[in-house]
Amino acid sequence: MMNIYMYSIVMFLSFFFISLMSLVFYFMDLGLLMEWMVISVNSFNIEIIILVDWVALLFVGIIFLISSMVVLYSFIYMGSEKFIERFIYMVLLFIFSMVLMIMSPNIISILFGWDGLGLVSYCLVVFYQNYSSYNSGMVTILSNRVGDVGLLMAIGMVMMSGSWNYWVMEIGGQLSMLMIIVAAMTKSAQIPFSVWLPMAMAAPTPVSALVHSSTLVTAGIYLMIRFSEMLMVSDSMSMILLFFSVLTMFMSGIMAIVENDLKKIIALSTLSQLGLMMMILSLGMKMIAFYHLLTHAIFKSMLFMCAGSVIHLMMNNQDIRLLGSLNEVIPFTMMGFYISSLSLCGLPFMAGFYSKDYIMELVYSKNINIFMLGMIMLSLMFTIMYSLRLYYYMFFSSNKFYGLSFVGENKLMSMSLMVLMVLSVMIGSLLSWLFFMDFYMIYLDFSVKIITLMVCLLGLIIMGMMSILSFKIYKSEVSIKIKYFLSSMWFLSYLYMWIYWPFNKIGSVMMNFDSTWGELVSYIMLLSLIKWFKMMFFYYMYLFMILFVLIYMVSIFLF
């Protein structure tokens, strides 16, 4: 168990060192490219390249910070697990895969990290080994394989350019960029691949805090940031991405309002924020997307950890309708929940405000379709609404599940929350001062500038009215059907069931065949083939020798 503390301390110290290196690289305008040639065939090279610049270093530093807190947190949360060391090793393998993907400008080495992320996330989702976990794991792995195929097809298309590095990918044209967009959309769970992210909440909560908030799901965003120059060449590609990202924001926000599972609500808020990042990426502002990616990683991982503390103390209950009055018994955890949730909503001068308000002002200054703009503003309003609903159920309603006299906070869990709590307030302004202060300057009329705040206040009022009228509205038959439609992610979850059911059926049939007839028949066939080859080999060798001797004798006789 001492190893867990050591891993946490080493990663925390690595965060400081890598962040300082990132500052040095940024202010000195440095970049480091390390190349290792694996194989060279004529003019075609297969090489592993590591690109170290301030963007990669800053992201790796943030990942190490979150990972160190999550590993420390896991020591208590997963303390009763028999295989806790296996769990920690899988988390470390996941971090290694993410770092490999971040520091790779070459699509081949990106694929190594990309597939590592998919495989380890599947292992972590099925960690609890029950029906729900297996089901969720199957949806996760099959959804992500679509993106992996897209990346493999992009590799094939770019091969004609003689290099797999992203700075020579213009030759591949729009089709290769489309494949990379598909890969990014599957990993970042955009529509129509959104189903796997809420289902992946079957994993342990520390996994959700690390994997499904700040690393795995942001891998697609990071890939698009690296390839954004290619995206901007084609207006049609960026418009397609804009449409799907805004639809994802809208769908996840409205679904979170009717969801009752605590972790799924936070997962849907992650999905909404991923849509926001993709949306600003499609408008050509990659650094602002990266800015929001970093701030979101901090406060969302903390939100998951606070939710995990609540679930842990409530005997693994995740239904928010059974919670209530938690601020009286676990005040520190609830304070962290307040701070991270307010940061998510974009409360002025919290971490999320700096990036979200920036993004919204950029959207107002762009020439965007009014329908799209309306959906973006509605999605922003939904964020306030589901956050307020969550507040009500967790703090202001009465507890209906568990005797609160038995609930208490753990010091080690609280300590892991402390660092992220401070950063959830400071990281937005800190990054703005250090890195992003001179990229964009926005001038808007006051009436336009105040729209974001007005939309947030409108969400507050509507949610208050809905909570008052809930007893009258929610019990009608029409509202139950609408709620069922929304909570099933617009029936996308059933679509996935139809897709992966045949795979499961074929897999079980093939497994039965392989362990019975396949094994027996293949064994007999293999033996008979070997015997046949042996017999034919000796037969033809004998025939060849006879022919050789005959030809030799004829040649001597004639000449």
Side-chain angles (χ1 to χ4, degrees):
M1 290 297 174
M2 196 64 193
N3 290 343
I4 296 174
Y5 287 114
M6 288 304 297
Y7 293 142
S8 181
I9 291 164
V10 167
M11 283 191 285
F12 191 65
L13 293 174
S14 301
F15 155 69
F16 282 109
F17 174 72
I18 293 170
S19 300
L20 285 172
M21 286 291 293
S22 172
L23 276 170
V24 170
F25 273 62
Y26 177 72
F27 285 111
M28 295 184 71
D29 198 18
L30 288 175
L32 191 61
L33 197 68
M34 294 174 281
E35 184 177 351
W36 175 45
M37 182 73 68
V38 180
I39 191 168
S40 178
V41 180
N42 295 332
S43 64
F44 186 73
N45 301 327
I46 294 177
E47 64 236 347
I48 290 177
I49 303 177
I50 300 296
L51 174 67
V52 181
D53 60 352
W54 71 270
V55 174
L57 285 170
L58 185 58
F59 195 19
V60 170
I62 294 291
I63 286 169
F64 274 140
L65 169 68
I66 294 168
S67 304
S68 65
M69 295 298 109
V70 166
V71 167
L72 192 65
Y73 177 87
S74 302
F75 182 71
I76 300 300
Y77 192 92
M78 307 290 288
S80 58
E81 279 291 328
K82 186 179 179 181
F83 302 111
I84 184 169
E85 290 198 6
R86 182 192 297 174
F87 172 79
I88 297 297
Y89 290 143
M90 278 198 288
V91 169
L92 294 175
L93 186 62
F94 185 88
I95 295 161
F96 170 75
S97 300
M98 190 70 194
V99 170
L100 178 65
M101 202 216 87
I102 288 167
M103 293 192 165
S104 300
N106 184 291
I107 312 183
I108 296 290
S109 45
I110 282 173
L111 187 69
F112 287 143
W114 191 269
D115 269 343
L117 290 174
L119 183 63
V120 178
S121 69
Y122 172 72
C123 295
L124 288 167
V125 168
V126 301
F127 186 80
Y128 282 140
Q129 298 184 20
N130 54 41
Y131 180 80
S132 174
S133 297
Y134 289 143
N135 197 23
S136 303
M138 186 57 70
V139 174
T140 302
I141 199 77
L142 286 176
S143 302
N144 282 296
R145 287 318 287 170
V146 177
D148 298 345
V149 169
L151 210 55
L152 285 166
M153 289 177 74
I155 287 168
M157 290 170 196
V158 177
M159 194 169 71
M160 68 184 79
S161 64
S163 173
W164 278 308
N165 300 326
Y166 69 73
W167 49 78
V168 296
M169 280 192 64
E170 290 84 1
I171 300 167
Q174 289 193 16
L175 195 56
S176 59
M177 192 60 217
L178 181 63
M179 292 299 106
I180 289 169
I181 287 173
V182 168
M185 282 174 68
T186 52
K187 196 65 85 173
S188 294
Q190 303 296 299
I191 279 181
F193 310 106
S194 305
V195 177
W196 73 264
L197 185 56
M199 291 192 79
M201 293 302 109
T205 306
V207 174
S208 304
L210 175 67
V211 174
H212 303 125
S213 68
S214 54
T215 50
L216 175 72
V217 290
T218 53
I221 305 289
Y222 187 80
L223 189 75
M224 291 303 302
I225 289 167
R226 285 297 194 195
F227 289 92
S228 61
E229 283 79 10
M230 285 183 65
L231 176 67
M232 285 299 104
V233 171
S234 169
D235 288 337
S236 57
M237 292 287 177
S238 53
M239 286 301 104
I240 289 166
L241 193 62
L242 175 68
F243 175 75
F244 280 114
S245 58
V246 171
L247 195 60
T248 306
M249 283 172 65
F250 183 80
M251 187 264 299
S252 56
I254 203 165
M255 185 180 165
I257 295 171
V258 297
E259 184 59 59
N260 294 316
D261 189 306
L262 176 57
K263 280 174 71 176
K264 280 190 179 179
I265 292 171
I266 303 172
L268 289 163
S269 77
T270 302
L271 193 53
S272 179
Q273 299 306 305
L274 291 169
L276 187 69
M277 292 176 219
M278 275 288 189
M279 181 260 295
I280 201 69
L281 255 173
S282 65
L283 296 175
M285 292 154 199
K286 61 176 183 178
M287 280 298 113
I288 303 301
F290 184 62
Y291 181 23
H292 189 58
L293 188 151
L294 296 177
T295 54
H296 171 261
I298 295 290
F299 65 72
K300 188 52 66 68
S301 53
M302 185 188 162
L303 193 60
F304 264 116
M305 286 165 75
C306 291
S309 295
V310 171
I311 293 164
H312 187 65
L313 295 168
M314 288 286 152
M315 307 294 285
N316 301 320
N317 166 55
Q318 294 180 201
D319 196 326
I320 58 170
R321 292 170 296 185
L322 302 178
L323 305 176
S325 305
L326 295 177
N327 50 334
E328 295 174 10
V329 284
I330 42 173
F332 187 81
T333 306
M334 289 299 101
M335 185 170 69
F337 201 97
Y338 271 128
I339 290 169
S340 53
S341 192
L342 289 171
S343 187
L344 169 70
C345 292
L347 187 78
F349 311 113
M350 302 289 280
F353 166 76
Y354 288 90
S355 53
K356 276 188 83 172
D357 200 62
Y358 213 171
I359 287 169
M360 290 309 296
E361 288 181 1
L362 282 166
V363 168
Y364 299 147
S365 62
K366 288 281 179 179
N367 187 18
I368 293 181
N369 181 311
I370 190 72
F371 176 71
M372 287 288 179
L373 189 62
M375 285 184 74
I376 292 165
M377 290 165 70
L378 278 172
S379 306
L380 194 70
M381 188 175 76
F382 292 151
T383 307
I384 308 295
M385 289 170 72
Y386 62 69
S387 298
L388 190 67
R389 179 172 175 263
L390 205 52
Y391 283 161
Y392 171 76
Y393 276 115
M394 294 187 75
F395 309 135
F396 303 116
S397 66
S398 57
N399 189 280
K400 308 166 191 70
F401 176 68
Y402 192 57
L404 292 180
S405 56
F406 297 103
V407 177
E409 291 176 320
N410 185 278
K411 288 182 181 176
L412 200 60
M413 275 184 167
S414 300
M415 194 165 72
S416 63
L417 291 173
M418 181 68 81
V419 177
L420 294 176
M421 196 182 296
V422 173
L423 281 173
S424 289
V425 180
M426 292 174 58
I427 191 78
S429 54
L430 202 64
L431 289 174
S432 178
W433 296 334
L434 291 175
F435 294 101
F436 303 95
M437 53 191 172
D438 58 349
F439 280 156
Y440 301 99
M441 191 64 76
I442 305 161
Y443 294 98
L444 292 172
D445 190 65
F446 179 76
S447 59
V448 178
K449 213 169 179 67
I450 206 74
I451 286 174
T452 310
L453 189 61
M454 291 296 107
V455 167
C456 293
L457 287 172
L458 185 64
L460 204 70
I461 294 162
I462 291 172
M463 199 63 222
M465 290 171 64
M466 279 177 69
S467 62
I468 293 165
L469 300 171
S470 62
F471 294 108
K472 294 177 183 176
I473 295 172
Y474 280 13
K475 290 185 179 179
S476 68
E477 190 177 342
V478 176
S479 68
I480 289 168
K481 287 179 180 176
I482 292 169
K483 196 175 176 182
Y484 181 69
F485 167 70
L486 295 174
S487 62
S488 63
M489 202 171 267
W490 298 0
F491 299 142
L492 271 177
S493 52
Y494 296 103
L495 177 67
Y496 267 85
M497 194 182 293
W498 297 332
I499 290 169
Y500 73 75
W501 181 83
F503 285 97
N504 280 351
K505 199 72 179 169
I506 293 164
S508 62
V509 170
M510 291 304 292
M511 190 186 75
N512 289 332
F513 177 77
D514 185 57
S515 60
T516 53
W517 279 100
E519 190 172 340
L520 181 66
V521 171
S522 61
Y523 176 70
I524 294 167
M525 282 176 65
L526 193 64
L527 278 178
S528 59
L529 275 170
I530 290 167
K531 285 179 184 177
W532 184 79
F533 274 119
K534 277 183 179 179
M535 186 181 71
M536 294 304 289
F537 176 75
F538 287 119
Y539 174 74
Y540 281 112
M541 278 297 292
Y542 183 66
L543 190 65
F544 177 76
M545 285 171 69
I546 291 169
L547 283 169
F548 180 76
V549 169
L550 284 170
I551 292 165
Y552 183 70
M553 288 174 71
V554 168
S555 63
I556 290 171
F557 180 74
L558 289 172
F559 299 105

